[in-house]
Amino acid sequence: MTTLPAATATPALAVPVGLARELRAMLVLALPLIVTQLMQILVNTTEVVLLGRLDARALAAASLGAALLHTAMMFGVGIASATAPLIAQAKGARQPRKIRRVVRQGLWVTLAVTLPLMAVLWLARPILAAMGQQAGLLVMTEAYVRTALWGLPFAVGFIVLRSFAASFGRTRAVLAAAVTGALLNVPLSWLLIFGGLGVPALGPRGAGIAVAVIYALEFVVLLGHCLTARPLRRYHVLVRFQRPDWPIFREILRVGLPIGGAVVLETGLFAVSTLLMGLIGTAQLAAHQIALQVASIAFMVPLGLSHASTIRIGLAVGAGDWRRARLAGRMACALGLSFMAAMAVLFASAAGPLVGLFLDPATADGAAAAAYAVGFLHIAALFQLADGLQVLGIANLRGLKDTAVPMWIAAFGYWAVGFPTAWLLGFHTPLAGTGIWLGLAAALATVGIIMLARFERLTRRVLAPAA
């Protein structure tokens, strides 16, 4: 049960907050974070496009590896995301020493979490073989995972630095790091996948190397900004970095482990959907990855908005202004749902051209995969609103440092509702792959509705005495 401070203890509650002011503050913070997310998904999209042009088998093999890698990464990212509300609330409460401590220990937690995950990912081939995946694909899958996994600590550490910079409104620096990585990734991936300039064609292995290099580059660029730019440099986040700070370390884990759990419950369902699709067929697996990639690009907008929502709510709660916290959450939901409604229309009306960006329908393999991908995108149009709602709902609760109950909500929605629906419709009806996508839609809708209702109930409970 989340313990929330009483609204009556803060006179700021009596001050009305204008919609226009909150809208402007939200957009100023959110827009660079949204573009940052788009740049980061561009890295993954580049790999999908290039491997799809190489051949459908290479794309399918890398898709299996990416499912494991992404699940591990998102678990680490979820834990590191705890630094956002902790830094924001410390800043709102004017506790600069705690800000410095949270950043340092956030990087400690990054290493503590990612190193064991890398050891598990090294065993991707036997893990996938035990799950019944096609043996002919797993050699390429292993090559991709064993190179890409070296970027994992940098990808998770980037989240800690992003939380620090964004809490001070330095989102352009975050964007600059992401743009640098995205621009370099295109030529680097092309060179490593197809070969040239004396570099041999490495296929999926080359894609994994490019991913690791880009994650490391983005981390280094943002770290350089945090160490040299005002006002961030005065926090000296790496000074005495070797000294442990166990109370803050434990607080990050206390808040972050449920976030990581909730994230992995969601990404785990999508990873399992990829594995289930692999049991149906190679063409369906490649189509599934294409449709997921297109849906993921649209998802970057509410995801970037959700980062801003967590910070805006955290700043308001730290300052004791619960009306502004509630308004920030509602504002983020309104903006996110408006965008996702537009994406639903786009997916329903232009699925064919969107799929054509990733696959060549002139080939036999490409034509079969493209036909499946169009159908999957039509289902994706149905769950756009639900997908936006669930990510914004959990981000709003994260701003309140409410993380334990949302994890159990995620467990119920994704695995008690989504997985059984996907399994039953995918393997016990003629729907096959379409049934799996309907299961994903059911999961997202369930989680989104419950998360939003909980945010409204918690904030209403604090505000009621003041009213």
Side-chain angles (χ1 to χ4, degrees):
M1 194 70 172
T2 302
T3 302
L4 301 175
T8 52
T10 56
L13 288 173
V15 180
V17 180
L19 284 172
R21 188 175 67 182
E22 182 58 40
L23 175 61
R24 181 182 182 279
M26 181 69 71
L27 290 177
V28 167
L29 182 62
L31 287 176
L33 294 176
I34 290 170
V35 180
T36 296
Q37 291 298 145
L38 291 171
M39 291 298 101
Q40 292 183 330
I41 197 66
L42 181 60
V43 173
N44 302 102
T45 304
T46 299
E47 314 305 328
V48 173
V49 170
L50 295 181
L51 289 171
R53 295 295 175 180
L54 183 63
D55 63 65
R57 286 179 59 80
L59 174 59
S63 298
L64 291 174
L68 289 182
L69 180 70
H70 187 64
T71 301
M73 181 182 299
M74 293 311 295
F75 178 65
V77 164
I79 295 175
S81 296
T83 57
L86 292 176
I87 293 171
Q89 290 194 17
K91 184 174 183 292
R94 299 183 180 181
Q95 299 173 334
R97 290 187 61 192
K98 185 172 183 180
I99 294 172
R100 179 168 55 247
R101 295 166 66 196
V102 170
V103 176
R104 290 174 183 168
Q105 293 308 297
L107 295 175
W108 271 57
V109 168
T110 293
L111 293 175
V113 170
T114 57
L115 293 179
L117 291 175
M118 291 171 67
V120 174
L121 288 171
W122 192 261
L123 304 175
R125 184 175 179 180
I127 290 172
L128 290 170
M131 294 179 179
Q133 296 300 316
Q134 301 175 42
L137 297 178
L138 295 186
V139 173
M140 290 188 289
T141 299
E142 182 180 66
Y144 173 81
V145 174
R146 286 193 171 183
T147 50
L149 62 84
W150 296 103
L152 188 60
F154 299 103
V156 176
F158 183 86
I159 303 304
V160 177
L161 300 180
R162 184 191 68 192
S163 299
F164 178 42
S167 293
F168 286 85
R170 307 292 297 188
T171 50
R172 291 184 180 180
V174 181
L175 174 58
V179 169
T180 301
L183 292 178
L184 181 61
N185 182 60
V186 176
L188 181 63
S189 296
W190 183 282
L191 181 65
L192 293 174
I193 291 173
F194 296 102
L197 302 177
V199 178
L202 298 176
R205 183 188 299 275
I209 294 172
V211 166
V213 170
I214 296 306
Y215 285 148
L217 174 65
E218 292 177 349
F219 175 84
V220 170
V221 171
L222 186 55
L223 178 62
H225 180 84
C226 292
L227 295 178
T228 59
R230 296 179 179 178
L232 305 180
R233 67 186 184 189
R234 67 186 178 90
Y235 287 86
H236 305 291
V237 294
L238 292 187
V239 173
R240 294 189 294 275
F241 177 78
Q242 72 281 4
R243 293 177 59 181
D245 187 345
W246 298 121
I248 295 295
F249 187 92
R250 287 191 292 269
E251 185 176 9
I252 293 173
L253 289 180
R254 179 182 60 80
V255 176
L257 280 172
I259 299 175
V263 170
V264 84
L265 286 166
E266 177 192 356
T267 56
L269 177 63
F270 279 86
V272 166
S273 74
T274 299
L275 300 177
L276 293 178
M277 204 69 73
L279 299 177
I280 295 176
T282 299
Q284 291 92 331
L285 176 58
H288 177 72
Q289 183 62 28
I290 296 294
L292 277 183
Q293 197 66 39
V294 174
S296 296
I297 294 172
F299 180 70
M300 292 303 102
V301 173
L303 180 59
L305 187 59
S306 75
H307 301 325
S309 177
T310 296
I311 291 170
R312 290 293 302 163
I313 293 171
L315 289 170
V317 171
D321 192 342
W322 280 81
R323 291 191 188 280
R324 181 159 58 91
R326 191 181 208 190
L327 178 60
R330 290 177 170 180
M331 183 71 69
C333 287
L335 292 170
L337 292 179
S338 298
F339 175 82
M340 294 303 267
M343 289 300 99
V345 174
L346 177 64
F347 288 0
S349 60
L354 290 173
V355 171
L357 297 174
F358 295 84
L359 284 172
D360 183 3
T363 65
D365 288 344
Y372 286 118
V374 168
F376 296 159
L377 270 185
H378 287 157
I379 304 299
L382 296 177
F383 70 58
Q384 288 304 288
L385 291 174
D387 206 8
L389 190 64
Q390 64 85 19
V391 72
L392 289 164
I394 198 168
N396 289 352
L397 294 173
R398 195 174 298 159
L400 306 178
K401 292 202 300 187
D402 176 37
T403 59
V405 172
M407 182 184 68
W408 295 112
I409 294 172
F412 171 75
Y414 294 125
W415 292 95
V417 175
F419 176 72
T421 303
W423 175 263
L424 289 173
L425 296 180
F427 291 91
H428 298 280
T429 75
L431 292 172
T434 300
I436 293 175
W437 274 74
L438 288 172
L440 297 177
L444 293 168
T446 300
V447 173
I449 292 170
I450 299 176
M451 293 288 187
L452 183 60
R454 179 167 175 81
F455 176 76
E456 289 293 315
R457 186 176 69 84
L458 290 179
T459 52
R460 183 172 60 248
R461 190 177 78 191
V462 175
L463 290 169

